[in-house]
Amino acid sequence: MSSRLNPYISFDGTARQAMEFYQQVFGGNLQVSTYGDAGASDVPEADKIMHSMLETDSGFTLMASDIPPGMEHRPGNNISVSLTGDSDEELRGYWAKLSADGVVAVPLEKQMWGDVFGMCTDRFGITWMVDISAG
């Protein structure tokens, strides 16, 4: 396997719901392991996600977990996930699902640099940037 770089998102108890939502958006295979699966079946966090990975047919990989016990969840604005490409229909489909029940910061429309671009925060608080190249 070659090296790859992909986002890893931490959630405060909603990792399963978020990753199932992203699987609905992007399709693909979702693998989920809980703290209970790792042997911590007698703790309150047993059903929380220790690690999950979504791999899609488009070549996307997204990983996530719930914050481990004892760690503080500190959401911030220091990460965004960017989707770029030239498949107008595919990217608009992702945008429609990600922005539904979320907040649109920049509407998906043609920008001064020629691409169609939009930015939204989904219902789980994750910021997404979608850029459809002009050609």
Side-chain angles (χ1 to χ4, degrees):
M1 179 174 92
S2 62
S3 298
R4 64 179 170 186
L5 177 69
N6 51 270
Y8 200 110
I9 304 172
S10 297
F11 293 93
D12 191 18
T14 59
R16 180 182 302 277
Q17 297 93 321
M19 292 300 282
E20 288 173 352
F21 170 69
Y22 299 141
Q23 184 182 30
Q24 291 173 3
V25 172
F26 301 112
N29 182 39
L30 177 60
Q31 298 173 12
V32 176
S33 299
T34 65
Y35 289 102
D37 295 336
S41 57
D42 59 345
V43 298
E45 297 83 9
D47 291 334
K48 299 298 181 192
I49 303 305
M50 184 181 76
H51 176 74
S52 63
M53 180 169 67
L54 176 63
E55 294 183 294
T56 75
D57 295 339
S58 296
F60 302 156
T61 301
L62 183 62
M63 295 181 181
S65 67
D66 287 311
I67 294 295
M71 290 186 68
E72 179 185 357
H73 183 244
R74 290 181 282 162
N77 59 0
N78 58 341
I79 184 171
S80 299
V81 182
S82 176
L83 297 171
T84 60
D86 59 6
S87 177
D88 188 82
E89 182 180 350
E90 179 182 25
L91 290 166
R92 285 183 185 276
Y94 297 149
W95 171 264
K97 293 173 186 175
L98 291 166
S99 62
D101 298 325
V103 176
V104 173
V106 178
L108 186 66
E109 58 191 24
K110 189 170 184 170
Q111 302 296 323
M112 62 185 210
W113 62 88
D115 291 358
V116 172
F117 174 85
M119 186 167 59
C120 68
T121 302
D122 70 23
R123 65 184 183 204
F124 296 99
I126 303 302
T127 300
W128 294 84
M129 297 182 293
V130 176
D131 187 279
I132 306 167
S133 48

